[in-house]
Amino acid sequence: MATHSELRDFWERRLERDWTESGVGYRALGRPFNTWMYRVREEVFLREAGRLGLSGSSVLDVGSGTGFYVRLWERLGAADITGCDMTDAAVARLRERYPDHRFVRQDAADLDAFDDASFDALSCMDMLFHITDDDRYASAVREFARVLRPGGTLVLSENCLQRPEQRGEHQVNRTLEWIAGTANKAGFDLVRRVPMLVLMNAQVDASLPWRKTWGGVLRLAALTGATGWLAGAALYPVERRLVRTRRESPTTELLVCRRRV
């Protein structure tokens, strides 16, 4: 596995070159397919975060990337939005794109720029599985609890495996038991878990034959920008239905946690 410094350098280079949906998403599938994928992510986030009644709240978005979820918090009526990212490339561009909000370079495992109990809600989307060191992951979740007010809300997306964990150089897919246990130790109660995607992402919690087969199908469909756009457009209505009707997903899920009082 890569060290923390190597991971930061990896993301610094990646976002410097590609500050788009493909840069922060499933890069092998290209930007046109990722654009459709992020439409589904947007709908799920707005539906689930919208039901929490956080209009007028103070929000911290950790791992802001391109600012995709900053924009969604704006739509949900958050009164005060702060974002942070571990890369200079993202922070500089976020400040230009969203001049009315504050952005700082901070690592999720050490949010020392923020005081205790200073936010009503915190989002951390598609980022935690890129923390390959378990201790740093646990430290990040403890930091989330520290900066949230008692009763505050944590919204995150994760690959919650019910099969054995999968470890790679830049990503670790952990088990639901480990993720929920880590959140519980940090002072969170898991109150809701729903699919964020079903077919439009790597099938990390499926059998190996299906995982390889479907991954190959997606990469073949996205060989060019045009075919990737068509594949995304074809899957989009199917995916919208699946994320509304399924209780669990073989890929990314959205979790809502509450900081215990």
Side-chain angles (χ1 to χ4, degrees), residues 198-199 203 206-217 250:
V198 177
L199 291 175
Q203 306 287 284
S207 66
L208 183 60
W210 172 249
R211 195 160 72 235
K212 287 185 172 294
T213 298
W214 186 245
V217 168

Side-chain angles (χ1 to χ4, degrees), residues 68-96:
F68 182 83
Y69 294 98
V70 170
R71 178 173 60 83
L72 299 188
W73 280 120
E74 287 180 332
R75 289 180 58 183
L76 290 171
D80 180 68
I81 303 171
T82 301
C84 66
D85 197 275
M86 71 186 299
T87 68
D88 291 317
V91 170
R93 291 170 177 174
L94 286 164
R95 288 171 176 168
E96 292 180 3

Side-chain angles (χ1 to χ4, degrees), residues 76-218:
L76 290 171
D80 180 68
I81 303 171
T82 301
C84 66
D85 197 275
M86 71 186 299
T87 68
D88 291 317
V91 170
R93 291 170 177 174
L94 286 164
R95 288 171 176 168
E96 292 180 3
R97 178 174 286 182
Y98 300 99
D100 294 334
H101 306 310
R102 178 192 178 201
F103 295 95
V104 296
R105 187 170 72 77
Q106 286 274 275
D107 185 272
D110 185 12
L111 300 175
D112 60 0
F114 310 117
D115 295 333
D116 295 357
S118 51
F119 298 98
D120 301 308
L122 185 152
S123 54
C124 183
M125 309 302 293
D126 307 318
M127 193 278 286
L128 284 173
F129 44 68
H130 292 301
I131 301 178
T132 56
D133 181 271
D134 289 347
D135 290 337
R136 291 193 69 82
Y137 186 115
S139 178
V141 180
R142 289 194 298 269
E143 281 290 88
F144 297 168
R146 180 184 66 79
V147 302
L148 277 171
R149 298 185 176 103
T153 303
L154 169 63
V155 182
L156 62 99
S157 60
E158 254 289 15
N159 297 321
C160 302
L161 272 59
Q162 300 189 58
R163 297 169 184 268
E165 70 174 19
Q166 303 157 8
R167 290 189 171 265
E169 184 179 8
H170 298 120
Q171 181 167 324
V172 175
N173 300 316
R174 297 174 173 88
T175 66
L176 172 61
E177 180 182 15
W178 191 93
I179 293 166
T182 300
N184 182 65
K185 289 176 183 176
F188 287 105
D189 293 322
L190 175 59
V191 297
R192 187 164 173 80
R193 177 171 65 92
V194 300
M196 191 156 202
L197 295 165
V198 177
L199 291 175
M200 297 182 80
N201 204 359
Q203 306 287 284
V204 293
D205 202 24
S207 66
L208 183 60
W210 172 249
R211 195 160 72 235
K212 287 185 172 294
T213 298
W214 186 245
V217 168
L218 288 180

